[in-house]
Amino acid sequence: MPEIRRLAAVMFTDIAGYTALMGKDEQRALAVLAKNRKLQKDLVRKHHGEFLKEMGDGTLLCFQSALDAVRCAMAIQEAVKEVPDLNLRIGIHLGDIVFKEGDIFGDGVNVASRIEQLANPGGICVSGQVCQTIKNQQGITAWPLGKKKVKNVEEPIDVYSILPGESSLHRKNAPAGQS
């Protein structure tokens, strides 16, 4: 199969505390994982995305639109609020990706995975590229977290925390708990 390259909004999700839950109650952890998978697949499809793969308790998702990715992430976080032990961290980056031999690669994938690690449980972090694409959209607030140096990425990345609410970008101070 030939290599296919495209620009995409790449989303990584991860269940915060999953390893500890698995150590305490394997059946509960597996139930949480199944609930997460079903919730995400339904919402990703609704927001015109692709559910690419699972990696343990994490998922890799892809969207043709950064706005669709952010709205999907917000919908996912809203949906999991009432599910015990399902505390997700979500990261989104807009970048070049490569589909090859049934897998996905590229800087866009790597950066999205690093941004996800910066999100608080229940939070969504996005790169500056995503923030620029979604600016002035109703119902989305982006709080700047500053330039962040992340593992194995040469240049620091502008990172923003996404919160539901009125449209507002480039606030001076992040809300409590965001860093």
Side-chain angles (χ1 to χ4, degrees), residues 3-6 96-100 103-106 109:
E3 179 180 295
I4 300 170
R5 181 177 294 274
R6 73 177 194 204
D96 213 35
I97 58 173
V98 177
F99 290 92
K100 185 175 181 176
D103 211 345
I104 179 174
F105 306 93
V109 174

Side-chain angles (χ1 to χ4, degrees), residues 74-135:
M74 291 169 59
I76 289 169
Q77 291 294 31
E78 185 63 31
V80 302
K81 276 183 180 177
E82 303 304 318
V83 181
D85 299 317
L86 185 47
N87 301 306
L88 293 177
R89 282 190 282 265
I90 298 177
I92 306 170
H93 177 60
L94 185 62
D96 213 35
I97 58 173
V98 177
F99 290 92
K100 185 175 181 176
E101 298 174 6
D103 211 345
I104 179 174
F105 306 93
D107 193 51
V109 174
N110 299 335
V111 172
S113 74
R114 299 303 184 207
I115 291 171
E116 170 267 310
Q117 296 168 8
L118 299 173
N120 290 328
I124 303 164
C125 283
V126 302
S127 67
Q129 290 91 328
V130 172
C131 192
Q132 283 300 312
T133 304
I134 64 164
K135 67 182 178 183

Side-chain angles (χ1 to χ4, degrees), residues 70 74 115 118-120 123-128 130-132 134-135 139-148 157-179:
V70 170
M74 291 169 59
I115 291 171
L118 299 173
N120 290 328
I124 303 164
C125 283
V126 302
S127 67
V130 172
C131 192
Q132 283 300 312
I134 64 164
K135 67 182 178 183
I140 301 171
T141 302
W143 296 89
L145 301 179
K147 288 194 177 289
K148 302 291 182 182
I157 299 168
D158 284 319
V159 178
Y160 294 79
S161 180
I162 297 294
L163 304 168
E166 65 190 55
S167 176
S168 178
L169 297 175
H170 309 295
R171 302 273 181 142
K172 294 204 184 281
N173 298 310
Q178 299 293 314
S179 58

Side-chain angles (χ1 to χ4, degrees), residues 38-54:
K38 178 170 180 4
L39 255 163
Q40 284 194 33
K41 282 186 175 182
D42 291 346
L43 288 169
V44 167
R45 191 172 20 260
K46 181 180 175 187
H47 289 89
H48 317 291
E50 296 174 64
F51 190 98
L52 299 175
K53 69 180 180 177
E54 291 179 273

Side-chain angles (χ1 to χ4, degrees), residues 10-23:
V10 179
M11 180 191 303
F12 259 87
T13 74
D14 181 70
I15 302 173
Y18 185 79
T19 301
L21 179 61
M22 180 61 86

